[in-house]
Structures are given as C-alpha cells and as structure tokens.
C-alpha cells in the first residue's frame, strides 16, 4: 500500500499549500513498523494537528487501520518548518 499517497489524499484538503507538504518514511529496525514523517509549514501543521490533536489522531487512526490490512504498524509524526521569502 502506498501510505504517502493515502496521506496526501486525506490532508490535501486541510492545508493551504499542499505542494509544500513533504512526507518521508523513517527507516525502522522492525520491518513490520512504518513511521511516516509529515513536514508542513507552521500554519498548515497547526491545521493538521487540530485542537487538542483531534485531526492528527484521526489521521493516525485511518493509517493504523490501513496498515492492519497488511499486518503493519503505521505511526505518523508531524513537524513544521518556516518558509523564508
């Protein structure tokens, strides 16, 4: 399963600039574990996390269910960056 495209399908409607979203898979020792890092601008990261983390938890839950179809444990982390003009 392509988890990167799944994340893009979910989050592109939330963010103001979907072209700046970077999604990277962080290598893990256990091949069953998948950790995905979602990097966005500060403003977009706030939207992706949501109040009290409810949006981030929903995104994590969707990916966890998708991972269970392949017997994988999917973890999602969010980070932000400042874009200099």
């Amino acid at each position: 399963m392509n988890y990167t495209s799944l994340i893009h399908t979910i989050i592109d409607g939330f963010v103001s600039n979907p072209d700046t979203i970077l999604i990277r898979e962080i290598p893990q020792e256990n091949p069953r574990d998948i950790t995905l890092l979602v990097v966005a601008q500060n403003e977009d990261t706030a939207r992706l996390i949501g109040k009290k983390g409810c949006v981030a938890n929903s995104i994590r839950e969707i990916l966890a269910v998708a991972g269970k179809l392949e017997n994988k444990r999917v973890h999602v982390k969010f980070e932000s960056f400042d874009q200099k003009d």
Side-chain angles (χ1 to χ4, degrees), residues 27-64:
Q28 301 295 313
E29 289 181 24
N30 187 345
R32 191 170 163 233
D33 289 336
I34 298 172
T35 301
L36 299 165
L37 179 65
V38 179
V39 183
Q41 294 177 357
N42 286 339
E43 182 180 304
D44 289 337
T45 301
R47 284 188 185 112
L48 292 174
I49 294 173
K51 288 186 180 182
K52 298 183 182 180
C54 65
V55 176
N57 288 337
S58 297
I59 293 168
R60 289 182 180 117
E61 192 68 31
I62 291 168
L63 288 161

Side-chain angles (χ1 to χ4, degrees), residues 28-34 67-68 70-75:
Q28 301 295 313
E29 289 181 24
N30 187 345
R32 191 170 163 233
D33 289 336
I34 298 172
K68 287 182 182 187
E70 296 182 331
N71 198 26
K72 304 272 184 186
R73 289 183 297 210
V74 181
H75 308 279

Side-chain angles (χ1 to χ4, degrees), residues 3-24 36-41 43-50 54-63 76-79 81:
Y3 296 104
T4 302
S5 71
L6 179 58
I7 290 176
H8 272 293
T9 301
I10 296 168
I11 69 174
D12 282 354
F14 285 100
V15 296
S16 61
N17 196 355
D19 296 333
T20 62
I21 302 293
L22 301 172
I23 302 171
R24 298 285 183 249
L36 299 165
L37 179 65
V38 179
V39 183
Q41 294 177 357
E43 182 180 304
D44 289 337
T45 301
R47 284 188 185 112
L48 292 174
I49 294 173
C54 65
V55 176
N57 288 337
S58 297
I59 293 168
R60 289 182 180 117
E61 192 68 31
I62 291 168
L63 288 161
V76 182
K77 295 183 178 186
F78 297 93
E79 287 191 10
F81 65 88

